[in-house]
Amino acid sequence: MLNIVIFGPPGAGKGTHSIRITEKYKMMHISTGDIFREKIAKQTPLGMEAKSYMDQGQLVPDELVVKVLVSVVERNPDVNGFIFDGFPRTINQAQKLDETLKEKNIPLDLVLSLDVNKEELINRLVKRGIDSGRSDDTFEVINHRIQVYENQTQPLLEYYQKQNKIETVHGIGSIDDIFADICKVIDKHI
Ligand code: ADP
């Protein structure tokens, strides 16, 4: 069993590469963003609450996110490993993840950090907004999300560095080349 956090700013390619990792290594992909978007599409109360934060580029409150995350982990005791995408995003979430995994004797093996500069992120997200119509991919909201990332999420790099879990992959270039680099890192941990 291998458990990975895929880490990086909005637009770094976490979702794209998570799907490929899931297929190749037969792991379960947990994207908190996707889970909230599903709940929004179904118009559940939790989805509606999450939407009010997401549309403004704010983080959904830790309490809600952690609840959702723990329930997915608990409902899937027999998987071959998890890939956490978009979670944790705050130190508090990282601590809760550590606690939850420890309780269940699940190791966190690797934090795979995708490194992409700000200019490239903004270009990608603006393009994604035009292509997909995602309501938080507008110029103003994108800038805010990147700021939120820098303030609240980037400190996690230090948190995981202390645990010696970070491996960085350069996230610009062809998707196949980046994925090949990611696989090299993962293969070292199998
Ligand atoms: P991106 O990485 O491109 O920002 P996501 O789909 O991961 O896209 O997240 C979209 C939005 O969902 C975030 O801006 C935030 O509002 C909410 N969200 C997702 N995951 C979390 C989380 N772990 N904590 C708080 N909010 C989250």
Side-chain angles (χ1 to χ4, degrees):
M1 186 179 192
L2 187 73
N3 299 288
I4 302 174
V5 166
I6 189 158
F7 185 86
K14 300 186 296 291
T16 305
H17 291 296
S18 292
I19 291 166
R20 290 181 165 221
I21 295 169
T22 311
E23 282 166 5
K24 177 161 178 179
Y25 297 94
K26 310 283 175 247
M27 297 165 71
M28 179 171 179
H29 179 204
I30 305 184
S31 157
T32 40
D34 286 351
I35 293 172
F36 289 132
R37 279 185 289 277
E38 274 163 32
K39 293 187 186 297
I40 291 169
K42 288 188 192 144
Q43 303 197 332
T44 69
L46 201 149
M48 294 299 98
E49 185 167 358
K51 183 174 166 56
S52 64
Y53 297 95
M54 289 166 77
D55 281 350
Q56 293 178 51
Q58 309 277 17
L59 294 185
V60 175
D62 283 349
E63 203 188 278
L64 280 187
V65 190
V66 170
K67 206 167 82 184
V68 165
L69 193 279
V70 172
S71 105
V72 181
V73 171
E74 285 183 343
R75 272 186 279 125
N76 293 278
D78 299 321
V79 296
N80 194 25
F82 295 103
I83 173 142
F84 299 101
D85 163 12
F87 184 95
R89 262 177 155 97
T90 63
I91 299 274
N92 180 38
Q93 289 181 16
Q95 287 165 341
K96 292 286 184 329
L97 179 64
D98 279 350
E99 282 166 24
T100 304
L101 295 181
K102 200 170 163 202
E103 242 172 53
K104 299 177 196 315
N105 266 321
I106 302 174
L108 176 60
D109 302 283
L110 169 66
V111 176
L112 220 160
S113 168
L114 287 173
D115 186 25
V116 177
N117 66 54
K118 211 193 265 192
E119 198 190 340
E120 171 78 12
L121 296 174
I122 294 173
N123 288 339
R124 288 183 187 178
L125 292 169
V126 168
K127 186 173 180 303
R128 185 171 77 183
I130 295 165
D131 294 345
S132 74
R134 219 176 100 165
S135 57
D136 57 348
D137 282 342
T138 61
F139 190 69
E140 213 182 36
V141 179
I142 289 166
N143 274 300
H144 188 60
R145 279 159 59 206
I146 292 176
Q147 230 174 52
V148 168
Y149 168 79
E150 286 172 349
N151 294 337
Q152 300 195 53
T153 308
Q154 216 163 23
L156 286 177
L157 282 175
E158 206 188 316
Y159 179 89
Y160 284 122
Q161 229 130 32
K162 282 190 191 141
Q163 298 188 5
N164 249 322
K165 291 200 170 134
I166 302 263
E167 296 252 23
T168 303
V169 169
H170 183 58
I172 300 184
S174 84
I175 292 178
D176 285 347
D177 288 347
I178 300 165
F179 187 62
D181 288 344
I182 289 176
C183 293
K184 271 186 218 151
V185 171
I186 295 178
D187 290 342
K188 283 196 296 182
H189 289 262
I190 290 178

